[in-house]
Amino acid sequence: MSATPTAIQGQPSASQRQYSAADVEVIDNYLNKVEQEQMYEFLQGPGWGYGARSHMGNDASRYWYKHFAGFWEVPTAGLDRHTQAEQELRQYPLVEAMWQKVRGQSRLLRCYANGYPSGAEGGVHKDSMGPEHYTLLYYPHLRWHPDWAGETLFFNEDGDDLLCAVYPKPNRLVRFPGWIPHVARGISRLCPLLRITLMFKVSLAN
């Protein structure tokens, strides 16, 4: 992965931004087979909490989550938030190893996993308004079927048209600016699995 996507150069204000499908980068077969199997087995393990949601409305669906690092506004022991997040991630060697693979010159803001059960619905949202903030999203599954749904959809700024849909293909990594509106669509009742995604929220600023 390149360290600094060209898309962040000279970003306009949020009201002026024009998005396209080209801003959503998809990389397939990201981990080798052994790494993927180990990651999926780990993510299915204990440590899940329930109650996460992708928007703040009262009708928001809740889903499973697993927090690994970051999120805190005030780091401890005088550390900056990036350093603290990276130290916290060392408690999870498999996830930390993947972070070292994807990081480039970015700094970690937060790392967590989401687990969508059948019937859970996401809400269209932005991860950040900062032009230096990017999201790295990984689909760890060993198999997926198109009848199971669960695609990630990306929208224009007004939310009145679809830019692109990304299929949750096993071992696929997606990188996109955090200010693109997006949503994880609901999981079909036919799906026997928890739709798991692993997220790294990063900053390209120093």
Side-chain angles (χ1 to χ4, degrees), residues 103-120:
R103 67 179 301 168
Q105 295 181 358
S106 62
R107 303 292 306 278
L108 184 64
L109 292 169
R110 189 182 179 200
C111 178
Y112 60 95
N114 286 335
Y116 274 61
S118 172

Side-chain angles (χ1 to χ4, degrees), residues 2-182:
S2 59
T4 306
T6 56
I8 70 165
Q9 301 299 322
Q11 289 292 348
S13 67
S15 62
Q16 297 173 322
R17 288 175 185 154
Q18 297 297 316
Y19 313 129
S20 75
D23 293 306
V24 180
E25 181 181 4
V26 175
I27 305 172
D28 287 332
N29 303 312
Y30 192 75
L31 299 179
N32 66 44
K33 183 177 181 181
V34 172
E35 291 171 335
Q36 180 195 4
E37 290 174 347
Q38 290 176 337
M39 180 64 76
Y40 186 52
E41 181 180 4
F42 168 72
L43 290 174
Q44 290 186 98
W48 291 97
Y50 186 78
R53 55 185 176 175
S54 58
H55 66 92
M56 299 307 293
N58 293 330
D59 60 342
S61 288
R62 303 302 178 107
Y63 49 85
W64 298 93
Y65 68 93
K66 187 180 291 191
H67 174 83
F68 297 120
F71 191 73
W72 316 117
E73 292 296 331
V74 182
T76 59
L79 302 176
D80 66 74
R81 63 185 302 188
H82 304 292
T83 301
Q84 177 165 326
E86 293 179 15
Q87 287 189 1
E88 291 171 352
L89 198 60
R90 292 172 190 163
Q91 302 174 69
Y92 310 96
L94 286 175
V95 182
E96 202 272 338
M98 184 166 179
W99 165 240
Q100 295 303 329
K101 182 178 176 70
V102 303
R103 67 179 301 168
Q105 295 181 358
S106 62
R107 303 292 306 278
L108 184 64
L109 292 169
R110 189 182 179 200
C111 178
Y112 60 95
N114 286 335
Y116 274 61
S118 172
E121 297 280 352
V124 178
H125 66 282
K126 299 179 180 182
D127 289 343
S128 173
M129 292 303 294
E132 74 280 8
H133 291 167
Y134 273 68
T135 297
L136 303 168
L137 182 158
Y138 177 69
Y139 304 105
H141 298 93
L142 305 183
R143 62 190 179 99
W144 198 261
H145 192 282
D147 287 342
W148 297 348
E151 297 82 6
T152 304
L153 306 184
F154 295 86
F155 292 85
N156 64 2
E157 179 65 27
D158 293 331
D160 60 6
D161 201 4
L162 188 66
L163 295 182
C164 64
V166 176
Y167 180 70
K169 183 177 179 179
N171 205 20
R172 168 172 281 177
L173 182 75
V174 185
R175 179 176 60 180
F176 59 93
W179 31 264
I180 295 183
H182 59 282

